[in-house]
Amino acid sequence: MSIVDSHCHLDHFTAEEQPEIVARAVAAGVTRMTTISVRMSQGPTIRALTERFPEVWGTAGVHPHQAGEGVMPTVEEIVAATDHPRIIGIGESGLDYFYDKSPRDVQRENFRRHIRAAQATQLPLCIHARDADEDIAAILTEEAGKGGRFPFLLHCFSSGRALGEAALALGGYISFSGILTFPRSAELREFAQAVPAERLLVETDSPYLAPVPLRGKRCEPAYTALTLKVLAETRGVAPEEMARITTDNFYRLFTKAAR
């Protein structure tokens, strides 16, 4: 059984820990993982991780929390940052109105620039969405209308069903994290049943959001297998089949990633 963790933050672990983290992931069946950028200055670190570990890919982009730090990258700068064989996506970007660590107008402009970079490269955009469902849906729809559709996924999905359905209508994918396993996530599991099988992915967002029964502990990519098991149970299929589905979907979305 081969599983892909579509979204993690390996740079949050020390250089000494990283080989053990990757080895535990592979032992758990998580044979590939994507480490995600949150600021442009991370570029060298992300690229170094992908070169150090053949199991790891990376992305380039600016998280909404960091959107207000310094000078916002241009579309061209985001595109240029993907010019590496193992940088396979853009982001994470999006909107976070829960923490509001950056002004909302800055977040929105940052998000639009990342969308335009995804349109230019046709690399998938990893979207962070928290308490901003209406604005995210509106911006996705508006930008797709202006510049054409582009590949994207709503990562660590915990938003309302309306945003999920809007994303699916635009061709987007939905990625579920350990939140899916939490006792209070019944509505999320109900939506997970309704997502078309060909649009499902799994992730950890590690070191955050460890799934049950490890909730509260530091998360790591190996735990993707626990979320996948709950997703499989939710949809009434075997874990091996869900691993095949989500892995096939990952490669269909992240076309720059080689099996």
Side-chain angles (χ1 to χ4, degrees):
M1 183 168 70
S2 179
I3 303 168
V4 180
D5 181 354
S6 65
H7 193 113
C8 61
H9 297 276
L10 288 177
D11 60 303
H12 284 50
F13 302 95
T14 68
E16 293 72 27
E17 290 175 316
Q18 287 161 359
E20 300 173 0
I21 296 292
V22 172
R24 283 198 290 270
V26 173
V30 184
T31 57
R32 296 289 184 272
M33 54 211 84
T34 307
T35 191
I36 305 295
S37 172
V38 300
R39 49 169 63 90
M40 296 300 284
S41 61
Q42 275 183 293
T45 300
I46 298 289
R47 292 191 295 271
L49 281 165
T50 71
E51 292 164 1
R52 184 182 182 192
F53 300 106
E55 300 88 354
V56 176
W57 291 295
T59 67
V62 181
H63 192 288
H65 289 345
Q66 283 75 37
E69 295 179 359
V71 178
M72 187 184 302
T74 65
V75 173
E76 292 75 18
E77 286 170 337
I78 299 167
V79 169
T82 68
D83 187 18
H84 184 281
R86 298 190 63 78
I87 300 301
I88 62 170
I90 292 171
E92 64 185 286
S93 186
L95 303 176
D96 192 314
Y97 292 173
F98 180 80
Y99 286 109
D100 272 330
K101 290 189 176 181
S102 298
R104 293 185 179 184
D105 60 334
V106 173
Q107 291 188 48
R108 289 190 286 267
E109 176 59 22
N110 183 61
F111 185 28
R112 289 181 188 276
R113 292 187 187 188
H114 283 73
I115 288 173
R116 291 165 192 166
Q119 288 169 327
T121 61
Q122 287 301 298
L123 295 178
L125 173 60
C126 305
I127 296 175
H128 173 103
R130 189 159 189 193
D131 283 15
D133 288 14
E134 289 186 8
D135 278 5
I136 287 178
I139 289 171
L140 287 173
T141 302
E142 181 182 337
E143 293 295 335
K146 288 179 180 177
R149 287 197 175 193
F150 55 95
F152 71 90
L153 73 157
L154 294 179
H155 107 86
C156 191
F157 188 81
S158 60
S159 299
R161 188 170 187 135
L163 176 58
E165 291 176 346
L168 291 170
L170 289 168
Y173 288 63
I174 307 290
S175 181
F176 291 102
S177 69
I179 295 174
L180 187 75
T181 73
F182 295 175
R184 294 184 179 180
S185 294
E187 288 187 12
L188 188 62
R189 289 188 287 275
E190 182 180 341
F191 178 62
Q193 289 178 319
V195 175
E198 65 272 16
R199 302 286 188 85
L200 291 166
L201 286 94
V202 285
E203 64 171 271
T204 55
D205 201 14
S206 55
Y208 312 107
L209 302 172
V212 173
L214 301 173
R215 188 176 182 184
K217 297 183 181 296
R218 186 176 67 164
C219 191
E220 57 183 76
Y223 302 165
T224 316
L226 297 173
T227 296
L228 182 130
K229 181 175 181 289
V230 170
L231 181 59
E233 291 170 352
T234 298
R235 293 182 63 94
V237 302
E240 293 78 9
E241 175 64 6
M242 186 53 62
R244 183 194 66 77
I245 289 169
T246 54
T247 298
D248 286 349
N249 292 346
F250 177 87
Y251 286 108
R252 189 183 311 113
L253 177 61
F254 288 89
T255 56
K256 194 174 172 181
R259 281 182 181 263

